[in-house]
Amino acid sequence: MNQNPEIGRRVRTGGFETNVHDVGSGASVLLIHGSGPGVSAWANWRLVIPALAKDRRVIAPDMVGFGYTDRPAGIQYGMDTWVQQALDLLDALGLEQVDLVGNSFGGALAMALAIRAPQRVRRLVLMGSVGVPFEITEGLDAVWGYEPSFEAMRGIMDYFAWSRELVSDELAELRYQASIRPGFQESFAAMFPAPRQRWVDAMTSREADIRALPHETLIIHGREDKVIPLSNSLTLAEWIANAQLHVFGHCGHWTQIEHNARFNRLVGDFLAEADLQTS
């Protein structure tokens, strides 16, 4: 039997079921993926889950509208829906508190969750994060405006990765095929219709709320990121009191892929500090 690695277990979250990867044991960490076309938790975190799962319980859901989570008719895509889904997931799994790692769109979502339910979050990792005001980039506009074709997907890959070695026709073909699975493009197109600056703005948290975050926060960014500007992470590092910032050179928007071993060590060490404090 050819098991699709993108499919994990199904967990009831409110009025629908969420596809979740739930691996390992120990302190729990919730990984929230980005918003590229055809994305899934597995596509985003496949090189991170096994490394972090050596020492902790890793939970990586497909947020509603993405991947293999149900796509309920009439659902309103937006931060309220996604934050509620994440909280419903934690409740369903019986988890009072988790570490939270958010990538890009997932960073904005992780921050919104930490603001609304600070007691549910132990430590926060924001990577190439949305969530502060910025003028939409050409790269993000292209990603959110994607219309399925191999050529369009190949062009988007060029925005995502600094390393040309990572941007192969094989990868573009895989991601293109992922983007045209039944239901995927329909929900994706419904999320970010033009003009797209409004969706950047809709994911923004208030400066006062970000400044009030009490959590130890690790902020990570690729210096050559063409999708989300490095200035976002500089702003977050300034606003969040207990923040540290790590910038990878020769790196685009795919920090967790382009500098995978370093990323895994960095995040693993950061979360292990909290393990020591609570043990």
Side-chain angles (χ1 to χ4, degrees):
M1 181 174 130
N2 183 17
Q3 175 69 37
N4 181 349
E6 292 186 90
I7 296 176
R9 58 185 285 213
R10 300 192 70 73
V11 177
R12 170 65 58 175
T13 47
F16 57 90
E17 289 192 342
T18 293
N19 179 53
V20 186
H21 301 273
D22 187 349
V23 186
S25 61
S28 297
V29 55
L30 178 65
L31 309 181
I32 304 180
H33 59 73
S35 61
V39 76
S40 67
W42 177 256
N44 221 164
W45 301 115
R46 66 190 181 279
L47 303 179
V48 176
I49 292 170
L52 292 184
K54 290 174 185 171
D55 302 303
R56 55 197 70 249
R57 182 180 180 184
V58 181
I59 298 148
D62 289 345
M63 302 313 294
V64 65
F66 299 97
Y68 289 88
T69 286
D70 291 347
R71 291 174 159 75
I75 192 163
Q76 292 293 310
Y77 295 116
M79 296 306 275
D80 290 344
T81 296
W82 288 314
V83 169
Q84 191 59 52
Q85 178 192 6
L87 290 171
D88 286 343
L89 177 61
L90 297 188
D91 290 345
L93 297 178
L95 298 171
E96 288 184 20
Q97 192 178 63
V98 294
D99 294 317
L100 201 45
V101 181
N103 170 27
S104 193
F105 148 88
L109 177 49
M111 211 160 20
L113 194 159
I115 288 166
R116 296 180 199 194
Q119 73 285 0
R120 305 300 293 269
V121 180
R122 188 177 71 160
R123 285 196 163 198
L124 197 53
V125 180
L126 305 172
M127 154 194 161
S129 186
V130 186
V132 295
F134 70 99
E135 188 175 326
I136 193 168
T137 60
E138 177 187 317
L140 182 56
D141 201 43
V143 169
W144 280 354
Y146 168 81
E147 293 188 4
S149 73
F150 168 78
E151 291 73 23
M153 184 60 79
R154 181 67 209 239
I156 284 174
M157 299 281 117
D158 285 330
Y159 283 115
F160 273 119
W162 177 81
S163 168
R164 298 301 85 205
E165 291 170 21
L166 273 179
V167 184
S168 65
D169 284 351
E170 291 76 19
L171 178 61
E173 178 64 25
L174 272 174
R175 300 314 309 152
Y176 164 62
Q177 292 298 334
S179 77
I180 59 171
R181 287 182 292 223
F184 274 52
Q185 180 60 20
E186 290 81 352
S187 54
F188 187 73
M191 272 183 240
F192 309 116
R196 296 184 182 88
Q197 180 66 43
R198 58 187 163 153
W199 310 120
V200 169
D201 300 341
M203 291 183 195
T204 299
S205 291
R206 290 174 53 238
E207 179 179 345
D209 290 336
I210 297 173
R211 287 184 180 274
L213 283 171
H215 310 87
E216 287 286 339
T217 304
L218 172 62
I219 301 162
I220 302 172
H221 217 107
R223 187 181 61 197
E224 285 81 20
D225 193 333
K226 293 179 182 175
V227 180
I228 305 300
L230 174 59
S231 57
N232 275 27
S233 284
L234 300 177
T235 298
L236 287 168
E238 185 184 325
W239 288 359
I240 298 174
N242 298 318
Q244 51 184 293
L245 171 65
H246 192 101
V247 180
F248 287 105
H250 296 162
C251 184
H253 193 53
W254 278 348
T255 322
Q256 83 283 21
I257 295 171
E258 296 192 74
H259 289 263
N260 174 249
R262 287 172 168 176
F263 177 89
N264 291 340
R265 280 199 302 274
L266 187 65
V267 172
D269 287 349
F270 176 70
L271 301 183
E273 287 177 6
D275 296 341
L276 292 171
Q277 290 166 7
T278 54
S279 61

